[in-house]
């Protein structure tokens, strides 16, 4: 009898760096306050960094001690550093196959399905393992040092660099959440050529919104997504609902029940992927 045992599992995730970023921002502001009688957070960072982060410092709320300014700036910087850090991490040593920032969907290899001798992991163990991997990858980027490089004042910059010893695990424990998706997906992937183009719309999206483990896809799923980074969102033509992520010639689902979007002469190919990679006896 066939049972569902997909080689890929799907999770909703969130990464929020507000705790470590606010800690570093407050530390930086405290040093700034000691260094000058009139601390001005507007001039704290290098101009090119503020431009890259797309932060308008003219919107900083006024407060007599700068606390509101620090909180507002921390929120903005936390969003920037999530994308900045994840663009630098190496997923090769993890079970994570793909991360899509916009939908907050994470694809992970079902490691317990790769060996008949491997003990079945509980769902909570799997989620904890993925969370631990993401926390480790984030911490390896040395956030305090990254932050320090953006500071314009050399003395303050060096003080923050010297504070990297405070970059402790406790700062990151609550930064990552991993939860189950609402519904299981039909297949882990399929080729774009299977889709009926009369039923869909393709919208270009930034390649930086997607982090993909090409090596693991090749070794574990036996697919090569290619060296280019042509990324698009596939939507239902009528209701505009996101149904998949197109990475070069492959589709990675963002919804279930996708067989209605498959060309009639390619449905057998779609169902074969289910038999091969989703179900087993």
């Amino acid at each position: 009898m066939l049972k569902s045992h997909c080689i890929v599992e799907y999770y909703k995730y969130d990464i929020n760096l507000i705790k470590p970023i606010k800690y570093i921002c407050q530390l930086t502001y405290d040093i700034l306050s000691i260094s000058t009688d009139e601390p001005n957070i507007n001039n704290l960072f290098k101009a090119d960094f503020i431009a890259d982060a797309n932060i308008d410092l003219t919107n900083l709320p006024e407060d007599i001690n700068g606390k509101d300014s620090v909180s507002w700036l921390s929120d903005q910087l936390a969003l920037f550093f999530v994308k900045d850090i994840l663009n630098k991490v190496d997923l090769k040593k993890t079970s994570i196959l793909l991360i899509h920032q916009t939908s907050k969907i994470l694809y992970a290899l079902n490691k317990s399905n790769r060996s008949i001798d491997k003990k079945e992991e509980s769902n909570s163990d799997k989620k904890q393992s993925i969370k631990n991997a993401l926390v480790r990858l984030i911490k390896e980027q040395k956030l305090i040092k990254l932050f320090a490089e953006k500071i314009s004042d050399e003395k303050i910059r060096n003080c923050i660099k010297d504070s990297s010893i405070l970059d402790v695990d406790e700062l990151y424990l609550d930064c990552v959440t991993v939860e189950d998706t609402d519904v299981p997906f039909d297949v882990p992937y399929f080729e774009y050529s299977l889709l009926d183009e009369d039923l869909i719309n393709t919208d270009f999206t930034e390649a930086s919104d997607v982090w993909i483990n090409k090596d693991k896809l090749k070794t574990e799923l036996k697919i090569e997504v290619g060296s280019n980074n042509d990324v698009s969102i596939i939507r239902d033509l009528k209701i505009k609902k996101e149904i998949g992520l197109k990475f070069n010639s492959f589709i990675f689902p963002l919804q279930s029940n996708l067989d209605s979007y498959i060309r009639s002469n390619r449905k057998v190919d779609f169902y074969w992927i289910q038999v091969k990679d989703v179900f087993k006896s």
Side-chain angles (χ1 to χ4, degrees):
M1 181 178 181
L2 296 177
K3 65 177 181 178
S4 179
H5 205 91
C6 189
I7 63 175
V8 175
E9 295 179 314
Y10 315 92
Y11 300 95
K12 295 286 286 185
Y13 81 94
D14 188 45
I15 298 175
N16 188 339
L17 295 179
I18 187 62
K19 183 177 180 179
I21 289 296
K22 188 171 184 179
Y23 168 77
I24 304 169
C25 273
Q26 188 62 61
L27 177 62
T28 304
Y29 184 80
D30 290 344
I31 296 173
L32 176 65
S33 300
I34 296 172
S35 304
T36 178
D37 294 332
E38 296 182 1
N40 185 354
I41 204 169
N42 294 40
N43 301 322
L44 186 58
F45 297 99
K46 297 176 181 177
D48 58 344
F49 165 64
I50 293 300
D52 289 343
N54 195 26
I55 298 175
D56 184 0
L57 293 180
T58 60
N59 288 332
L60 284 176
E62 294 183 0
D63 189 89
I64 57 172
N65 60 10
K67 297 296 185 180
D68 287 347
S69 297
V70 171
S71 297
W72 184 89
L73 186 60
S74 298
D75 291 339
Q76 308 306 309
L77 292 177
L79 295 173
F80 170 82
F81 276 106
V82 167
K83 178 174 285 190
D84 183 63
I85 284 178
L86 285 179
N87 281 334
K88 298 173 182 175
V89 300
D90 187 353
L91 297 176
K92 291 179 183 177
K93 296 181 180 179
T94 74
S95 64
I96 299 169
L97 300 173
L98 183 146
I99 298 174
H100 182 223
Q101 182 180 11
T102 307
S103 66
K104 301 295 185 183
I105 293 288
L106 180 152
Y107 294 65
L109 184 70
N110 184 358
K111 293 187 291 184
S112 62
N113 187 41
R114 309 313 290 163
S115 170
I116 60 175
D117 297 323
K118 187 172 180 64
K119 183 180 180 181
E120 187 77 22
E121 288 183 289
S122 69
N123 183 254
S124 60
D125 286 342
K126 292 176 182 178
K127 289 187 289 189
Q128 187 62 48
S129 177
I130 293 169
K131 176 181 176 179
N132 292 343
L134 285 173
V135 169
R136 185 180 68 253
L137 289 172
I138 291 169
K139 192 170 184 301
E140 285 176 352
Q141 297 304 308
K142 302 185 183 303
L143 186 55
I144 289 181
K145 287 187 176 181
L146 285 177
F147 187 98
E149 290 297 337
K150 314 301 182 184
I151 297 173
S152 57
D153 186 280
E154 184 179 2
K155 290 182 179 180
I156 298 177
R157 181 166 64 248
N158 290 334
C159 284
I160 297 300
K161 285 182 178 180
D162 292 340
S163 302
S164 59
I165 191 173
L166 301 176
D167 202 4
V168 294
D169 292 346
E170 285 74 16
L171 284 175
Y172 302 91
L173 293 181
D174 301 322
C175 290
V176 177
T177 58
V178 179
E179 302 294 340
D180 296 315
T181 55
D182 296 331
V183 290
F185 296 158
D186 302 322
V187 293
Y189 65 90
F190 59 93
E191 291 189 25
Y192 176 77
S193 59
L194 272 63
L195 284 173
D196 186 339
E197 292 183 307
D198 293 334
L199 303 176
I200 62 170
N201 184 47
T202 303
D203 292 333
F204 171 80
T205 190
E206 293 292 336
S208 58
D209 287 339
V210 180
W211 303 281
I212 192 163
N213 191 341
K214 294 182 180 182
D215 289 345
K216 193 77 72 174
L217 286 171
K218 181 178 179 179
T219 58
E220 301 291 348
L221 271 64
K222 311 303 180 188
I223 64 171
E224 295 192 47
V225 296
S227 58
N228 295 330
N229 292 318
D230 178 16
V231 185
S232 303
I233 293 295
I234 306 300
R235 303 179 190 274
D236 181 290
L237 185 62
K238 292 183 178 179
I239 63 176
K240 308 303 181 184
K241 178 179 69 174
E242 293 184 357
I243 62 174
L245 172 71
K246 180 178 179 288
F247 195 97
N248 295 336
S249 62
F250 284 91
I251 300 295
F252 295 93
L254 298 176
Q255 295 288 338
S256 60
N257 303 318
L258 295 184
D259 54 337
S260 61
Y261 298 96
I262 302 300
R263 298 174 186 269
S264 58
N265 63 339
R266 300 299 303 274
K267 286 187 182 291
V268 171
D269 298 315
F270 182 79
Y271 295 140
W272 171 242
I273 297 173
Q274 287 185 313
V275 173
K276 179 170 63 76
D277 290 335
V278 179
F279 296 102
K280 72 175 187 178
S281 57

